[in-house]
Amino acid sequence: MLSKEKNEYITRVGTGTPMGNLMRQYWLPVMLSHEVPEPDCDPVRVMMLGEKLIGFRDTSGQVGLIADGCPHRGASLFFGRNEENGIRCVYHGWKFDRTGTCVDMPNEPADSMFKTKVRARTYPCVERIGVVWAYLGPRADPPPMPDLEVFDVPEDEVEVVAAMRDCNWLQGMEGDLDTCHVNFLHRGAIKAEDLTPGTEEFYMAAEKAPRYKYTETEYGAMYGAYRPAGPGELYWRVAQFLFPCFTHIPRNARQAVDTRLWVPMDDYHTMYYLLRRRPQNEPASNGRFVLSADTAIRKDNSTDWYGRFRLEASADNDYLIDRDKQRRMVSYTGMAGAWTEDHAITESMGPIMARESEHLGSSDVMLTRVRRRLIDAASALADDNTAPPGVDKPGVYRTRSASIILPADTDWLEGTAAMRTASPAGER
Ligand code: FES
Ligand SMILES: [Fe+2]
């Protein structure tokens, strides 16, 4: 449980909030490259950290991110003309390039110097693996990008998924740090006796109340959930939190390269990204943002601030729950799959869940600790301008989760170290 004040502190991300300022220290995904497919294409509305921004690709092919309101009189640059290396406001013709320089002010006399005094707010962008990343922070020289292993996955194996969630970012991310829900929400209909003894799935189904170890790391925090396996053995599932809103969750597949990111659009909406190497037994997804059969994208997605990457299964249709399938235990929830289940349940907690009325048990240790870590980092930034974890150490992001059976007397950090080690940069 968190006090009401602390819950506000940790969830609010608008301009000037401590947590918003923390988020702004990091490079974060802002849109997918294919949303701006070619030079001078249509601009895109993007909501990020409570700010209305317009994404566009200029004539040289570079992506720009500019504040929505024109510096002249506030008209939306979404309606602007994307032409010759800049975006031109259609109200009075002022034109800005992607660095924010006013390059034309045609409604002022030709000898006026006024245009040299006006700048638009813009943010630097880079593209990696089909994702546009932006730095919304205060440094004139942005910090390095996090050195995620997925950036080295070959183009034909990398998979990028985006989906919008109608709830606060922390709620979405806490689902990733809560391993024991998997046995209920996603696997509640699976019985141990139907699984092959000796497999990790079998041990998961056989013991639904694992115990936990926790440790802090340079990039954030990590837990190990352990339960009995064969005689004298334990099955460990290790997940990572990486500042400010990334996770690596345990995968049974070996060599899983998989980063999940919970990017706040504002206090009540989150853009979720999954960046991963596609497992060899899975077919390529269509259009790079559909993960599986239960993730249909809505037909009426739009150019609205909240119109992108919305899913068909939503609060409006009770996430397409099939009560008959739920009753017959075809699945625990009657929903189409894990993606929909996570989406439905985290949204069902409200736009910002009331953490002052929750009752956290021993299985929630990771949530408690990660909240404290976030609050401490945001306070240190606010109080002494202390750079938060990972900002200036891109290499610490080169890590994986783990899922492994170990002799019961093995230290969990030593026993999982090899599996948690990502391939070195540039070597895959
Ligand atoms: S409001 Fe944009 S040019 Fe006047
Ligand atoms: Fe889940």
Side-chain angles (χ1 to χ4, degrees):
M1 139 178 180
L2 274 184
S3 68
K4 229 176 166 141
E5 294 69 38
K6 288 239 167 78
N7 198 25
E8 290 277 307
Y9 190 93
I10 197 170
T11 53
R12 303 282 178 179
V13 289
T15 311
T17 59
M19 197 56 66
N21 288 342
L22 179 82
M23 292 280 176
R24 283 171 185 264
Q25 304 300 306
Y26 297 87
W27 284 96
L28 295 171
V30 61
M31 60 200 288
L32 300 190
S33 293
H34 76 61
E35 294 186 86
V36 280
E38 60 197 24
D40 295 336
C41 60
D42 296 346
V44 176
R45 287 193 183 98
V46 180
M47 181 72 80
M48 178 128 162
L49 297 173
E51 225 184 309
K52 288 180 172 171
L53 301 168
I54 301 297
F56 65 104
R57 191 181 294 279
D58 73 10
T59 313
S60 72
Q62 302 289 309
V63 178
L65 195 61
I66 188 165
D68 175 53
C70 173
H72 179 213
R73 296 203 50 239
S76 172
L77 293 176
F78 174 74
F79 299 109
R81 301 176 56 83
N82 185 7
E83 55 182 30
E84 287 151 53
N85 280 321
I87 194 154
R88 187 184 294 279
C89 178
V90 290
Y91 203 179
H92 313 92
W94 291 18
K95 180 175 168 185
F96 300 91
D97 70 12
R98 76 185 151 76
T99 69
T101 302
C102 183
V103 292
D104 196 15
M105 196 178 268
N107 68 333
E108 290 288 323
D111 58 355
S112 164
M113 293 302 286
F114 187 37
K115 81 173 184 194
T116 63
K117 301 199 167 68
V118 177
R119 285 190 68 79
R121 193 167 64 255
T122 57
Y123 297 113
C125 297
V126 299
E127 291 179 84
R128 300 294 290 275
I129 59 165
V131 178
V132 179
W133 298 68
Y135 173 70
L136 272 58
R139 294 190 193 180
D141 280 327
M145 290 273 289
D147 189 13
L148 295 169
E149 187 181 13
V150 72
F151 290 155
D152 290 341
V153 172
E155 172 84 6
D156 58 340
E157 288 177 45
V158 79
E159 187 162 71
V160 173
V161 178
M164 196 187 101
R165 247 188 226 180
D166 280 334
C167 66
N168 182 259
W169 70 278
L170 184 62
Q171 223 155 296
M173 190 180 81
E174 286 187 339
D176 282 359
L177 303 178
D178 163 7
T179 191
C180 72
H181 86 265
V182 173
N183 272 322
F184 300 91
L185 186 67
H186 307 316
R187 299 193 194 184
I190 299 174
K191 298 196 202 80
E193 53 263 37
D194 297 335
L195 297 169
T196 312
T199 59
E200 293 174 355
E201 289 81 4
F202 175 84
Y203 296 130
M204 271 184 89
E207 176 54 84
K208 298 194 187 228
R211 307 233 192 151
Y212 298 86
K213 299 274 189 199
Y214 167 89
T215 190
E216 292 192 354
T217 63
E218 269 190 290
Y219 48 82
M222 171 165 71
Y223 73 73
Y226 62 101
R227 51 188 20 111
E233 290 175 339
L234 294 172
Y235 170 36
W236 288 88
R237 289 173 66 81
V238 176
Q240 323 252 13
F241 157 69
L242 306 97
F243 270 91
C245 54
F246 311 162
T247 66
H248 288 169
I249 65 169
R251 295 287 186 200
N252 293 342
R254 294 288 168 264
Q255 305 280 300
V257 177
D258 184 326
T259 299
R260 297 157 66 96
L261 307 94
W262 299 91
V263 181
M265 298 171 74
D266 59 19
D267 294 347
Y268 308 115
H269 303 87
T270 303
M271 195 61 82
Y272 161 76
Y273 297 88
L274 167 62
L275 316 177
R276 68 170 184 168
R277 178 166 63 185
R278 192 178 60 254
Q280 282 168 353
N281 57 354
E282 281 185 31
S285 67
N286 177 18
R288 275 203 157 182
F289 57 85
V290 178
L291 184 62
S292 64
D294 73 307
T295 61
I297 297 286
R298 281 171 80 132
K299 307 257 179 320
D300 62 346
N301 276 341
S302 71
T303 56
D304 183 69
W305 298 110
Y306 305 106
R308 301 156 54 241
F309 301 113
R310 293 181 307 158
L311 303 182
E312 184 58 38
S314 63
D316 306 347
N317 52 28
D318 290 332
Y319 304 91
L320 302 172
I321 187 170
D322 182 331
R323 292 291 189 186
D324 183 53
K325 283 190 174 154
Q326 187 180 35
R327 203 169 289 116
R328 289 188 293 115
M329 268 291 191
V330 176
S331 78
Y332 201 61
T333 60
M335 292 175 194
W339 184 284
T340 307
E341 289 163 344
D342 284 330
H343 192 74
I345 288 307
T346 51
E347 288 188 354
S348 78
M349 298 153 101
I352 298 182
M353 69 164 295
R355 289 180 176 76
E356 66 273 19
S357 24
E358 66 189 356
H359 296 82
L360 297 182
S362 64
S363 68
D364 298 308
V365 59
M366 184 70 170
L367 303 193
T368 316
R369 302 293 191 90
V370 167
R371 291 173 189 176
R372 191 176 310 149
R373 195 118 167 75
L374 280 163
I375 289 171
D376 288 350
S379 308
L381 177 68
D383 295 347
D384 318 311
N385 208 24
T386 306
V391 166
D392 294 304
K393 289 193 170 177
V396 299
Y397 284 84
R398 211 143 179 111
T399 177
R400 293 179 180 171
S401 61
S403 170
I404 188 171
I405 294 169
L406 294 172
D409 57 359
T410 301
D411 175 81
W412 73 289
L413 292 173
E414 284 171 21
T416 61
M419 191 175 249
R420 288 187 283 105
T421 304
S423 59
E427 273 179 41
R428 284 204 44 82

